[in-house]
Amino acid sequence: MASILVAIDNTMPSKEAVEYAIKIAKATDSGLLVLGIIPIHLYNRWESGLKEIEKATEKSLNSVREIAEKSGIKVESIICSGYPDEEIIRVSAELDVSMVIMPSGKGDGSEICKAAAILLNELAKPLKKPLVLVPVS
């Protein structure tokens, strides 16, 4: 079964994208692949801060899993570290992903929202899957 990849980074925009991804997964009888990305470039100097972000990301993944499974959706989750745009391209190419859903907009500094803008740039590395952006304010 193909999965819909939704990238999260512990922000409210990610929650909006997750809610939308769950609706699409349910409507298309797809699984959900939740990609928790730790933007290592922001935390590599502060190991205690990095450990907190790792724990928060794991907690968010578990929360998404619980919500999606209550809706009858099969969920897989992955935590990775790196630049969000690069990790989204890498994971979507390596796994059976039918589309990528991400938040887009201001996002209060969300690294995932920044990655969406990068992926839309015509000079960026190509994302070879359909990209659905969920507008956030």
Side-chain angles (χ1 to χ4, degrees), residues 4-16:
I4 296 170
L5 186 149
V6 61
I8 65 169
D9 70 350
N10 302 313
T11 64
M12 288 306 291
S14 290
K15 290 178 183 176
E16 290 175 339

Side-chain angles (χ1 to χ4, degrees), residues 108-123:
D108 295 326
S110 164
E111 290 298 306
I112 299 296
C113 287
K114 290 177 188 175
I118 291 169
L119 292 172
L120 288 174
N121 183 325
E122 61 189 51
L123 301 176

Side-chain angles (χ1 to χ4, degrees):
M1 171 191 330
S3 293
I4 296 170
L5 186 149
V6 61
I8 65 169
D9 70 350
N10 302 313
T11 64
M12 288 306 291
S14 290
K15 290 178 183 176
E16 290 175 339
V18 165
E19 290 171 359
Y20 184 75
I22 288 171
K23 288 179 188 177
I24 297 298
K26 196 168 190 175
T28 60
D29 197 29
S30 298
L32 197 61
L33 174 62
V34 185
L35 179 61
I37 303 174
I38 299 167
I40 196 75
H41 60 285
L42 298 180
Y43 300 101
N44 61 0
R45 294 185 197 156
W46 305 290
E47 189 165 317
S48 62
L50 179 58
K51 289 182 189 290
E52 289 175 22
I53 293 300
E54 288 171 346
K55 287 179 186 177
T57 301
E58 190 171 322
K59 184 177 177 181
S60 291
L61 290 174
N62 290 336
S63 176
V64 171
R65 175 182 300 281
E66 184 177 307
I67 293 166
E69 287 178 346
K70 283 182 182 177
S71 297
I73 298 167
K74 182 179 176 188
V75 181
E76 291 183 58
S77 58
I78 298 173
I79 295 179
C80 61
S81 300
Y83 290 98
D85 56 306
E86 292 175 2
E87 291 304 309
I88 291 163
I89 291 169
R90 181 184 65 78
V91 171
S92 67
E94 291 176 1
L95 301 176
D96 184 21
V97 172
S98 61
M99 72 174 67
V100 176
I101 296 179
M102 300 174 61
S104 175
K106 292 180 183 177
D108 295 326
S110 164
E111 290 298 306
I112 299 296
C113 287
K114 290 177 188 175
I118 291 169
L119 292 172
L120 288 174
N121 183 325
E122 61 189 51
L123 301 176
K125 293 179 185 175
L127 178 65
K128 297 183 180 181
K129 305 292 179 172
L131 175 61
V132 177
L133 301 178
V134 178
V136 296
S137 52

